[in-house]
Amino acid sequence: MPRRHWKTSLISILVATSHLINNTLNVTGRARLADFGISRQLNMGQTTLYTISAGTKCWKARETLDEDSGIGYKRSTDIQVAGMLMYYIISGGHHPFGKGIHCEMNIFQGKYTLEHVDDEVTRDLIEWMINEEPEKRPTVEDTLAHPYFWAEERRVEYLRKIGNEKEAENCRKSDPRLLHALDQCAEGRSFTNWKSKMPPELMDKLDGKKKAYPDNTLGLLRFIRNLHEHYTEDADSVDMMTMFPDLFGCVYKFAKKMEWNSRSSLKKMFHREDVRY
């Protein structure tokens, strides 16, 4: 199964079964799902189900650990446990809330670690899913629309759109505070001093004597935008995602922090119906 389809299938399975799963993976790494004993189908329009406490130790959502809370099981309850399972699978068997007697207390207190997953986009999604506050977790649609599931072409499209924002358009006269913040984000990344890593003939063609693109992250984003906008054939010959594997994650997290992703020019990319896998 192609990786993009595997990702989609994984989260669909996790959301559907969440805390009802045991024996999640067998020794060969294949998914094995079992124990649907407390599975319930909610009626149309129903968002909450009140039952006695149920579930597997260390695989319960925060709100279900407090039997006196009266919160009940919600769809967001499944999302938190699905996030735990995603981390467990991707990290190779680690629980975000630890193990042993402290695990459920950590779930209740919202104390977690994602140290066994390096990818920023993956961490961003899991952190959202395991949020201790049910109302702050994503819906199933939000989860599937997250950039973790985006195909490579869509990630490049996102970088192109960022490169068309006013900050990148004015990359040669950028606010020093913005550049400093970006430099901190980009420190030690694969795209540091990006101009020296590009094919020389391509840099001569686009940059030339004018030196239109500064050797920083905004300059690279504007370069990507213009490359795809005006030099389509040249763009097809350069694999930016392989050349700079950590560029997308860094830019996405920075844009999120700066609230650029909520701009009208970008927010549509995060709608479920518009996502291509």
Side-chain angles (χ1 to χ4, degrees), residues 52-167:
I52 60 173
S53 180
T56 303
K57 184 176 176 62
C58 292
W59 298 101
K60 302 178 185 178
R62 179 183 184 274
E63 57 271 21
T64 65
L65 294 173
D66 183 2
E67 296 183 20
D68 298 324
S69 68
I71 294 178
Y73 290 85
K74 299 174 177 288
R75 289 186 171 90
S76 56
T77 301
D78 288 344
I79 291 292
Q80 188 182 38
V81 184
M84 297 180 199
L85 285 166
M86 278 191 66
Y87 184 78
Y88 183 85
I89 293 169
I90 294 170
S91 68
H94 297 278
H95 196 296
F97 293 99
K99 58 183 179 179
I101 61 174
H102 301 291
C103 182
E104 289 200 338
M105 182 58 69
N106 288 339
I107 293 173
F108 188 75
Q109 295 178 344
K111 296 180 180 179
Y112 60 86
T113 176
L114 304 180
E115 62 181 342
H116 295 98
V117 172
D118 295 327
D119 180 67
E120 289 178 294
V121 181
T122 305
R123 289 165 60 96
D124 181 72
L125 174 57
I126 294 174
E127 193 166 34
W128 191 13
M129 294 174 74
I130 65 174
N131 194 297
E132 61 182 298
E133 301 297 334
E135 65 275 9
K136 293 183 180 179
R137 298 171 199 154
T139 63
V140 174
E141 291 75 19
D142 291 334
T143 303
L144 289 173
H146 189 274
Y148 172 76
F149 293 102
W150 288 4
E152 183 174 296
E153 293 79 7
R154 190 168 186 83
R155 293 187 172 204
V156 173
E157 181 184 351
Y158 174 82
L159 294 177
R160 290 170 58 187
K161 286 182 177 291
I162 290 286
N164 207 36
E165 294 297 300
K166 59 182 182 296
E167 290 83 1

Side-chain angles (χ1 to χ4, degrees), residues 21-27 30-34:
I21 298 173
N22 61 23
N23 298 328
T24 307
L25 296 177
N26 67 11
V27 293
R30 288 173 120 12
R32 295 175 61 89
L33 309 180

Side-chain angles (χ1 to χ4, degrees), residues 180-194:
H180 178 69
L182 261 174
D183 286 342
Q184 288 184 313
C185 169
E187 186 175 359
R189 306 285 183 148
S190 64
F191 51 93
T192 302
N193 302 319
W194 63 271

